[in-house]
Structures are given as C-alpha cells and as structure tokens.
Amino acid sequence: MSSPEPIALPNPPNDGITSLQYIDNNNSSSQQLLASTSWDGALRLHDTFAKTHVLTHVMECGPLLSMTSYPSASSNKVFTGGIDGSIRQFDIATSTPSLIGMHGANSSNDDNKKVACSALSAIHDSSSLIASAGWDAKFHLWDVRSSNKHQPVITLDLPGKAFGMDTSLDGTKVVVATSGRQNCFIDVRSSSLSTVTNNNNNDKENSQQPPPIANMILQRDSSLKYQTRCIKFFPSTQGIAIGSIEGRVAIEYLTELGISNNNKKKYAFKCHRVNDTIYPVNDIAFHPTHGTFATGGADGTVVTWDGNSKKKLASLAKLPTSIACLAFNRDGTELAMASSYTFEEGERDHPREEIYVREVLEGEVKPKVVAK
C-alpha cells in the first residue's frame, strides 16, 4: 500500500503557526474541527473531513503563542495565550471571545514581551480548570467558571521562562519546561478537582467549595544539554518525552514521584539531522491509542517512534519548511502538521505557512513486537 499524501487546508495563517489541536466535537459525525493559532493573532478553525476553512477570528491580543481546549465534547471552547499575557476563551457556538486573565497583571514591568502567556494546557477530567505558564516565570491555575473574574485560583513561581507545558491524562500532574533546562512537576489534587468541576452552576454554592490545590513536587534538570522546545507526558503518565534544539529526544521516567518505570532506564536519541546539519525538534505528539509518538523537526520531516522498543517506525512526511507543531485526531487516524518556518536559520526567505492533514496507517504507529 502506498503512503497517504499530506493534504493542504485552505486559508492557512499568514504568519508563524504556534499550535494545532483537534476539537473533540464527537457530537458531530459530519465535521472534525482543527484549531490553529499563529503570530498573525488569529484563531482559525478548519473542518478536516470536508477540507474546508470554517472561521478566522482575530483575538485582539497580538501574536498568539499557545492554545488548549478540553478533551471533551461537552465544552466547545478554545483557550488562547497571547504575547500580551492574556488568556482568552473563544466560544465556538457563538463566535465570541472573553478574557479569562493575564500574566504579569500585577507586575511593574511594562514590557509585554516579558509577560507573554507562552504555554496553556487544559486539566484533563475537568471542565473548568486551565493551567498557564509564561515568560514572567509564573504558573497560574484558572477556574473559568469562577465568580472571581480574571484572578487565578493558584499561582506558583517557576525557575525561568516557560517554553512548554503538558498535563497528564489522569488530570493530576502538570509539567512545565523552563529556561535553564529545568523541568517542573506540579501536582493538582484530584480530590479538589472533583469538587470544583461539578455541574452545579450556582455561583454562591461554587464560591463555598474549596479551591483546587497545586504544589510543585519536583524540579530537576533536563537530561539534554540544550534548550527544551517541547515536553509531553506519556499517555500512561509513567514518564515524559522532551525535544530540544539539538536534534535529540529524551525519554525520562518519574521514579522520584513514586511512579514505577518497570526497570526501564532513561535514554536519548538523535533525530532530525541531515548530514552534518542538526535541526531542532519542535513538537512531539503521542498517538492516543498505541502510545507511540511523532516528532516534527525544523528539517521539515515528521517521523514516528516506538519509545518502548527504541525503534523508528515510519517517516510520514517531508514538507516545504519547518514542522512547527503536530496533533493527532481523537482516534489517531489523522495527523495535522504545521509547515511553518521557525527561524532556526535566522531571517531569510521561506515558503508560506501551510497546515496539512494526512491519513495515518496502522503500521506507521503500531508498536514494534519485541522478541523475547
């Protein structure tokens, strides 16, 4: 069987693409929404079933650096992080934005570039909690249904600027990668989540409920020598995968947190290299079913890997310029890829931004059978 070809979606962003995410609208069997953000300040939605552009909305906050949404069809909302430090909610049903809060809101520093909201992640198993991290070296947890508007329910200090963030699928942990090669693990108490995120819409009763609890439970150096570009939890929460500017991916485990590594050791491998040229690993996306993962590099390639067997699975695409970000759809049968120059070679002419989608074959993501 020949490999599927990537298909470019119409009306792509006009400037660097910063994030991609499928919106889990499983109430619809005729539409599959893909959201994207970019440096042109716009949130875009595409229907990848019909290969059509659905809408573009300028969020009025300058370039958009981050995005998230809840992995549930019960909330058709997308959240964006702007270079002005804002976290905004966009309601897909009504096409209306609203302000959730700001990074740097209490800072005396007027330089917006230093307070940008660079990372967002929805707390899984929740319908109201959003984690954000920024260039102000702050971590915030927001309850979007709180009557205390524009104020985080929790704020923690980070050791440096946030470069990437992810939330575990069980909703109990957040990892933030910061400058100085630091990885910070934050525990979000699930007992509090069950209280905060119930379906009671009465503000008075909600205000009497105890807030969620979040604590920094581990800070450690990355095993990679150079700056982190992306960080993701394993679907099992057993470990993390880290991508860096040095064309390497590290697989690390979380034994310090009492999580078994099944006697596996951390390791790193080289990737996204062409002869003597080393390209950054810009994004990592785990397959939702098999637990294998795809990497996107500044060499314009997308490759899948089996982290358990330490094997390369397949080369999925070679696109015109850097792969800025990746996203699998809900069942892992489709991969979205942002072809968008990430300035690893400085200012120069480059191909225009494009968003591609590609069918994923089972053999390209299924784990290798390890001989005993």
Side-chain angles (χ1 to χ4, degrees):
M1 179 183 294
S2 60
S3 298
E5 290 295 322
I7 299 171
L9 298 177
N11 303 103
N14 301 315
D15 205 345
I17 303 170
T18 55
S19 58
L20 293 173
Q21 185 162 353
Y22 283 91
I23 307 302
D24 192 1
N25 58 332
N26 58 12
N27 289 334
S28 172
S29 60
S30 60
Q31 189 182 57
Q32 180 169 254
L33 293 179
L34 174 70
S36 63
T37 56
S38 56
W39 275 81
D40 63 9
L43 169 70
R44 287 173 174 80
L45 294 177
H46 287 86
D47 179 0
T48 68
F49 282 167
K51 307 297 187 292
T52 56
H53 171 254
V54 177
L55 65 83
T56 295
H57 188 93
V58 178
M59 297 298 285
E60 306 294 345
C61 59
L64 297 176
L65 303 186
S66 53
M67 175 181 61
T68 191
S69 69
Y70 295 113
S72 167
S74 62
S75 178
N76 281 331
K77 295 178 174 62
V78 179
F79 300 87
T80 62
I83 202 168
D84 67 345
S86 66
I87 299 96
R88 297 177 189 269
Q89 174 182 275
F90 182 78
D91 189 312
I92 296 173
T94 61
S95 293
T96 55
S98 58
L99 179 67
I100 299 299
M102 298 284 295
H103 273 263
N106 298 318
S107 172
S108 60
N109 192 333
D110 293 328
D111 187 351
N112 285 341
K113 292 182 179 179
K114 294 185 178 180
V115 298
C117 178
S118 52
L120 280 177
S121 190
I123 303 298
H124 295 263
D125 293 335
S126 160
S127 60
S128 70
L129 293 180
I130 296 289
S132 69
W135 290 354
D136 57 351
K138 298 291 185 182
F139 169 89
H140 294 312
L141 194 64
W142 309 86
D143 184 347
V144 301
R145 297 189 304 196
S146 171
S147 58
N148 190 10
K149 297 298 184 183
H150 308 157
Q151 293 296 318
V153 293
I154 289 171
T155 296
L156 298 175
D157 291 328
L158 298 172
K161 290 182 178 181
F163 291 152
M165 181 166 64
D166 195 27
T167 305
S168 62
L169 287 181
D170 63 5
T172 64
K173 293 177 181 63
V174 178
V175 61
V176 185
T178 74
S179 55
R181 299 173 40 254
Q182 295 297 295
N183 295 327
C184 302
F185 296 85
I186 298 165
D187 179 61
V188 180
R189 299 295 177 86
S190 58
S191 59
S192 297
L193 290 182
S194 63
T195 304
V196 171
T197 62
N198 65 49
N199 292 323
N200 190 337
N201 291 320
N202 186 291
D203 283 344
K204 183 177 179 180
E205 291 188 22
N206 283 343
S207 66
Q208 295 174 349
Q209 295 168 355
I213 300 171
N215 296 294
M216 184 91 70
I217 53 175
L218 177 64
Q219 178 185 332
R220 71 184 188 191
D221 292 342
S222 167
S223 60
L224 299 178
K225 296 180 180 179
Y226 296 95
Q227 178 182 308
T228 301
R229 274 288 175 90
C230 53
I231 190 164
K232 295 292 173 66
F233 274 110
F234 294 0
S236 65
T237 316
Q238 190 180 48
I240 55 172
I242 308 168
S244 79
I245 63 171
E246 62 180 309
R248 290 178 187 266
V249 169
I251 302 298
E252 299 182 2
Y253 296 95
L254 305 177
T255 54
E256 300 100 318
L257 303 182
I259 300 173
S260 173
N261 62 357
N262 293 329
N263 296 318
K264 296 175 183 176
K265 295 182 179 179
K266 68 180 181 181
Y267 69 94
F269 63 91
K270 300 176 182 177
C271 53
H272 299 288
R273 300 178 178 215
V274 179
N275 298 323
D276 294 330
T277 304
I278 300 171
Y279 292 92
V281 179
N282 289 327
D283 203 5
I284 296 171
F286 275 89
H287 191 270
T289 302
H290 294 303
T292 54
F293 59 91
T295 58
D299 60 341
T301 66
V302 179
V303 183
T304 55
W305 310 86
D306 180 355
N308 287 326
S309 66
K310 304 181 183 180
K311 299 291 184 182
K312 176 181 176 180
L313 296 176
S315 295
L316 300 190
K318 176 68 173 79
L319 299 181
T321 188
S322 315
I323 307 300
C325 36
L326 300 169
F328 281 105
N329 67 348
R330 187 168 181 259
D331 61 7
T333 58
E334 184 176 271
L335 180 68
M337 304 167 284
S339 176
S340 181
Y341 180 54
T342 50
F343 290 85
E344 61 279 348
E345 297 175 358
E347 189 72 49
R348 64 168 175 80
D349 291 338
H350 55 83
R352 76 170 197 165
E353 277 66 33
E354 298 279 7
I355 297 174
Y356 293 89
V357 292
R358 181 193 183 277
E359 178 188 358
V360 177
L361 303 179
E362 184 79 356
E364 295 172 328
V365 290
K366 191 174 182 179
K368 294 280 189 182
V369 176
V370 180
K372 295 182 179 181

